[in-house]
Amino acid sequence: MAQQDLYPLLFKHLGTSTDSPSFKSLLRDSLGSQDFPSFEPEDEDDNPDVYAWVLVADKGLELGFTDKAYFDGKPDCAWFSDGAILSQLYFYCHFDDIEAYEGALPYDITWQDDRAAVLKKMQAATGQLRQSEHSDVWEFDGYLITVNYNQASQLAERVVIHLLPPPLKQTLPSWEVLAQYLDKPIKSDFMALWQGHFTQEMLEEAIEYDYNQIDLLKTYGVTLAVMSLDDELFLQGVTLYANREMDSIGWQGALPLGLDFNDSPRVLEEKIAQEPRIFDSEVNDGYAVWDFEDFSLRVLFSNFTNKLLRVSLEVFEEEDDNLDFSEDD
């Protein structure tokens, strides 16, 4: 294939799985490379890398790859489970043992262009320009174009196109969804709500050692009250924590019934327009319990800061202390 046709073909394959037939054909037939990206570490004691590269020196090209689960922002327990994607394209001017790429480049850039010429050609680009001493970078929807310049001649010497990974987000289940799982055995659908932070290993360990709590404070600001029965784990309650309460990251989703962690105990009583089954208030803190059709709501509050500390959805029971709010839990 003529090098003139490589850039659009390579660009078309950005984001493509390395397991796809079209990518394998690109690597083997279009680029003439027998190499395949490897994520294995050089030292067997190290963990696999989430990045890999394949150099095609005789064509002035290098391809960069990223583990797909890592690129998608999944937790590290899910990495290396979903293959890899083509995520970076490097086009080189001649240096060392790498030949100069001779094909088309984005926006008709050539290796004879100095910085002023590149900037003029890129005026038509809709991407946002960011500059430094060594490079110009244009950010487009989903990818970047980076142009590096030779420090002596100021001519373009490398063009890189790289995909932008999606921003990391914490996808939170709603409290209404969580309430639907109360008093039911914990299965994969419930575990999936926590995006890999509640693992099968944690589930099996809780059953084996008869744990009564799953700790997700550092990742979600949540603890799950559980009970082991007949080799299954049943969900008994979900406690949502304010930021820094028990060193928690803090629940960032909505609270039941319009509550807010900044609510005072007085506002708490005003928002829940029914008599609590329990209301126990001391000098420094207190708690209250309300019973509803599908769950009981338990709230721990501070009389020192006049804020809510923890909000729990729990299985309705006549006994009031099925969840422990003591400070040493």
Side-chain angles (χ1 to χ4, degrees):
M1 172 177 287
Q3 281 209 13
Q4 198 68 18
D5 300 323
L6 281 179
Y7 160 60
L9 180 62
L10 289 166
F11 186 82
K12 177 183 175 182
H13 277 81
L14 278 172
T16 299
S17 168
T18 56
D19 292 328
S20 70
S22 64
F23 170 76
K24 292 178 179 179
S25 174
L26 169 71
L27 196 60
R28 181 183 63 249
D29 302 328
S30 301
L31 300 181
S33 175
Q34 301 303 312
D35 294 329
F36 199 78
S38 173
F39 294 86
E40 292 302 316
E42 294 184 5
D43 190 325
E44 62 180 15
D45 294 329
D46 292 338
N47 293 322
D49 200 343
V50 294
Y51 297 105
W53 291 267
V54 170
L55 178 64
V56 189
D58 62 335
K59 288 185 168 57
L61 288 169
E62 191 167 19
L63 309 183
F65 305 88
T66 309
D67 176 75
K68 187 176 186 306
Y70 172 82
F71 184 88
D72 290 340
K74 295 181 179 178
D76 53 7
C77 60
W79 297 354
F80 311 109
S81 64
D82 199 20
I85 59 170
L86 175 63
S87 58
Q88 302 168 340
L89 306 174
Y90 295 79
F91 303 91
Y92 295 111
C93 186
H94 174 75
F95 76 96
D96 295 336
D97 295 329
I98 300 176
E99 298 295 328
Y101 171 75
E102 297 178 352
L105 287 168
Y107 292 85
D108 296 320
I109 294 170
T110 71
W111 302 130
Q112 288 73 48
D113 289 335
D114 62 13
R115 191 165 198 169
V118 170
L119 290 170
K120 183 176 182 179
K121 288 182 176 180
M122 292 294 292
Q123 283 180 346
T126 57
Q128 177 185 1
L129 172 62
R130 296 195 294 270
Q131 296 183 291
S132 70
E133 178 185 355
H134 301 283
S135 65
D136 294 313
V137 178
W138 288 264
E139 180 172 337
F140 298 86
D141 186 17
Y143 68 96
L144 302 175
I145 294 178
T146 299
V147 181
N148 295 95
Y149 304 94
N150 182 281
Q151 291 298 292
S153 68
Q154 282 296 295
L155 297 179
E157 67 176 1
R158 186 178 75 167
V159 175
V160 186
I161 305 175
H162 32 135
L163 292 181
L164 282 170
L168 294 176
K169 294 181 179 179
Q170 186 184 60
T171 303
L172 298 168
S174 69
W175 69 266
E176 293 94 341
V177 167
L178 295 174
Q180 294 174 10
Y181 286 93
L182 289 173
D183 211 24
K184 296 178 181 177
I186 293 175
K187 303 293 186 183
S188 59
D189 57 340
F190 178 77
M191 296 170 66
L193 297 176
W194 308 104
Q195 298 182 292
H197 292 287
F198 184 5
T199 64
Q200 183 66 29
E201 181 181 359
M202 292 167 66
L203 176 70
E204 293 172 356
E205 190 176 88
I207 294 173
E208 180 179 356
Y209 296 104
D210 198 23
Y211 291 166
N212 60 14
Q213 181 174 280
I214 302 294
D215 187 340
L216 301 175
L217 288 173
K218 301 297 186 184
T219 50
Y220 283 92
V222 170
T223 56
L224 308 173
V226 295
M227 178 180 66
S228 182
L229 181 65
D230 296 330
D231 291 328
E232 285 192 303
L233 206 63
F234 286 77
L235 183 66
Q236 298 296 290
V238 179
T239 300
L240 314 174
Y241 289 70
N243 190 269
R244 303 304 294 267
E245 167 69 1
M246 300 296 292
D247 296 325
S248 162
I249 191 176
W251 172 254
Q252 298 173 27
L255 294 176
L257 308 178
L259 296 179
D260 189 287
F261 285 119
N262 287 319
D263 288 341
S264 68
R266 184 170 295 175
V267 171
L268 168 66
E269 292 184 85
E270 292 172 354
K271 283 188 173 181
I272 303 179
Q274 75 177 51
E275 193 72 19
R277 173 163 57 91
I278 300 170
F279 192 91
D280 186 358
S281 184
E282 306 292 338
V283 173
N284 290 323
D285 55 33
Y287 77 99
V289 179
W290 289 265
D291 296 324
F292 298 94
E293 182 177 352
D294 297 321
F295 59 88
S296 291
L297 180 72
R298 180 184 298 256
V299 180
L300 176 70
F301 53 84
S302 169
N303 290 324
F304 184 71
T305 61
N306 279 345
K307 290 184 178 182
L308 309 187
L309 300 177
R310 308 181 207 175
V311 177
S312 295
L313 303 166
E314 56 187 69
V315 174
F316 173 78
E317 292 184 8
E318 290 295 338
E319 296 297 327
D320 63 286
D321 280 331
N322 52 320
L323 285 185
D324 184 8
F325 271 150
S326 62
E327 291 299 318
D328 57 353
D329 56 357

